[in-house]
Amino acid sequence: MTSTTSHSLAIAAKGLRKAYGDKTVLDGIDLAVPAGTVFSLLGPNGAGKTTAVKILSTLITADAGDLHVGGHDIAVNPQAVRAAIGVTGQFSAVDGLITGEENMLLMADLHHLSRSEGRRTAAELLERFDLVEAASRPISTYSGGMKRRLDIAMTLVGDPRIIFLDEPTTGLDPRSRHNMWGIIRELVSDGVTVFLTTQYLEEADELADRIGVLNNGKIAAEGTADELKRLIPGGHVRLRFTDPSAYQSAAVALREVTRDDEALALQIPSGGSQRELRSILDWLDSAGIEADELTVHTPDLDDVFFALTGSTNVPSQPNEPKETVR
Ligand SMILES: Nc1ncnc2c1ncn2[C@@H]1O[C@H](COP(=O)(O)OP(=O)(O)OP(=O)(O)O)[C@@H](O)[C@H]1O
């Protein structure tokens, strides 16, 4: 595999370190986010996700690390980094006492847009984020989803090419969450790089090109959702029977399986590849076993997350799927 040069990386971190007192939050982490992609940083509460976002968006300084955002060295040229990025999320800039439109115009002023340009940009973004009707109401009357949409709209006033979204859908209902995913996909299709932190594995699975799992100050694993899923065992083929005697004889014939006597189901560990499935089917045929239902289960990101962030048994490298079929 060819490595991506630092020129095409929107975000590049080497040895990022941060401690609060004697508590090390980020213990020398490396990140490489190619431009125009979505990178998701996952981790349990308190893992340091927000700290990483704050450092990379210049809100706080790192203790150590070679950090580049938008091609600029954070330590040398934080102003240039600030000009290239937008940040939304847990530390939202939305002011609740004034209206949505006033918040947008305030952002336009901060970006030194002319009056007419500011009005035009605000109107376009309010329209794009379906906030035209609510624009003249104070933010305090907005729903959570509307506030998040306004937050992103405000971030886009400066037309940033890199956006940090810190838990953008926490607390949103499923419909608002799906709307937000649509907005994020639209940003990416415009070429924007998105650095997303989330507590929702499903969200990372849906949106991210690559996912980093942060645990104990380190990146415990990094890769595409599929690569991460392959890191842990847990995939299996499930055979279900309706006839108890067929179930019993299958359970006896297939010794290396997990039994579920109540459901009359047998589980055979499997990575789910075509080759493995074929050999399982051959094995069942030769043993004369005919199940009423056969389903293939692959581990999901939840399994990965718990395996990687649990206190015990953190795999340091990919585990081969268990080979029980011979
Ligand atoms: N200003 C600070 N002073 C001291 N400790 C801090 C400070 N900010 C964060 N921490 C600690 O650093 C650790 C990481 O916090 P951070 O907010 O980055 O985690 P997180 O992964 O974003 O968590 P969450 O998912 O709960 O938002 C936590 O233990 C937190 O208590």
Side-chain angles (χ1 to χ4, degrees), residues 20 23 25 43-52 90 166-167 199 214:
Y20 289 111
K23 181 178 168 47
V25 178
N45 284 131
K49 303 179 296 294
T50 300
T51 302
Q90 291 181 326
D166 195 16
E167 299 192 14
Q199 298 187 10
L214 191 59

Side-chain angles (χ1 to χ4, degrees), residues 20 70 112 136 154 182 191 224 231 286 300 317 320:
Y20 289 111
H112 308 296
S136 54
M154 286 169 65
T224 64
L231 285 183
S286 62
D300 60 18
Q317 50 187 351
E320 288 299 315

